[in-house]
Amino acid sequence: MKFNSRNPSRRRGTLVATAPQSLRPGALPTFTTPPCAVQLDSVSKVYGSDRSEVRALDGVTAGFPRGTFTAVMGPSGSGKSTFLNCAAGLDRPTSGRVVLGDTDLSGRSETELTELRRDRIGFVFQAYNLLGALTVADNVTLPLRLAEKPVDAEQLASVLAAVGLAEHHDRRPSQLSGGQQQRVAIARALINRPDLVCADEPTGALDSRNGRQVLALLRKIVDDLGQTVLMVTHDPVAAAQADTVVFLADGRLAGEMTRPSVEQIAERMTHLGEQ
Ligand SMILES: Nc1ncnc2c1ncn2[C@@H]1O[C@H](COP(=O)(O)OP(=O)(O)OP(=O)(O)O)[C@@H](O)[C@H]1O
């Protein structure tokens, strides 16, 4: 397959290294399982000011090794979307830094961040965000065309085959089920062979059968293609597909679990909600 495996071995065990908080300025924490697709180093995000200030993230340090699948969970308002948005360069931390591969995102211009996101990060959203006027093939190759890169027919075919949509090349999104549309979105996220795939509630709009298929596909792109997936979810069933589940509470890391069961995740969430 041209869409090549970079990490066929499925990694388990400690995924997120929560480094000591007392880092010397400018130093990245030492992670036990390098290299990381993305690292957050003492990242805080504050919205508003003075009395309306909200500290959405509070000194979060975490690293996500390449070829791993991580779910981010926490109560509503705990900072999950802010965490994902900072990791993906969609939002700028108020302090701390985010390093994508070996690229520090701090101080980058909006244009540079836009290009980094376009070229190196794949996004999958709850609402699919496909363009209804375009065919499946044109939706999938849009990131390439926006970057003025050539569209390689073989690459397109292999990505569509990887998500099980080879037959639906010329269909419009309205001619597909919700699950199929989300698989188109995943193919679009993969077309650039990104360093990181960020998924925000990717099964939130799907019934359980389609949701299971999408989760199995996210698992497959990690196991077979060596992709790195960071997924925000409220759903313990979805999170149980991940190698590691990271919990947030009040903008801070509140622990992690390695290959937990649905029941273990649900129980942990119940206790987080009580805090
Ligand atoms: N643009 C913004 N302006 C002001 N406050 C914000 C903004 N975005 C998020 N917040 C606040 O930051 C905190 C964290 O929000 P965030 O959306 O990251 O949480 P979440 O865990 O993803 O929540 P949910 O599960 O409900 O989607 C919340 O208190 C939220 O109200």
Side-chain angles (χ1 to χ4, degrees), residues 84-137:
L84 195 71
N85 291 344
C86 286
L90 279 166
D91 215 344
R92 290 177 191 271
T94 308
S95 62
R97 64 178 175 164
V98 175
V99 181
L100 179 69
D102 55 6
T103 307
D104 190 337
L105 303 189
S106 316
R108 302 269 163 186
S109 68
E110 280 308 315
T111 307
E112 286 175 313
L113 284 180
T114 302
E115 287 173 2
L116 276 164
R117 289 194 301 264
R118 185 191 67 201
D119 296 342
R120 295 180 52 187
I121 301 178
F123 290 94
V124 181
F125 299 102
Q126 177 170 339
Y128 325 133
N129 294 5
L130 302 177
L131 295 180
L134 300 185
T135 63
V136 165

Side-chain angles (χ1 to χ4, degrees), residues 45-48 52 54-57 73-83 85 91 200-201 232 234 248 251:
K45 177 71 186 179
V46 179
Y47 292 109
S52 65
V54 177
R55 187 166 285 271
L57 286 182
M73 297 195 85
S76 183
S78 59
K80 301 181 295 294
S81 295
T82 307
F83 180 88
N85 291 344
D91 215 344
D200 200 347
E201 298 283 2
V232 163
H234 282 100
L248 284 175

Side-chain angles (χ1 to χ4, degrees), residues 180-214:
Q180 287 170 329
Q181 290 185 57
Q182 193 60 300
R183 285 191 272 144
V184 175
I186 293 171
R188 181 184 56 191
L190 295 177
I191 195 75
N192 265 331
R193 300 180 180 123
D195 291 337
L196 178 67
V197 174
C198 290
D200 200 347
E201 298 283 2
T203 58
L206 299 174
D207 60 31
S208 58
R209 187 174 136 269
N210 276 305
R212 273 199 307 276
Q213 287 178 356
V214 163

Side-chain angles (χ1 to χ4, degrees), residues 132-143:
L134 300 185
T135 63
V136 165
D138 286 343
N139 267 290
V140 171
T141 55
L142 193 60

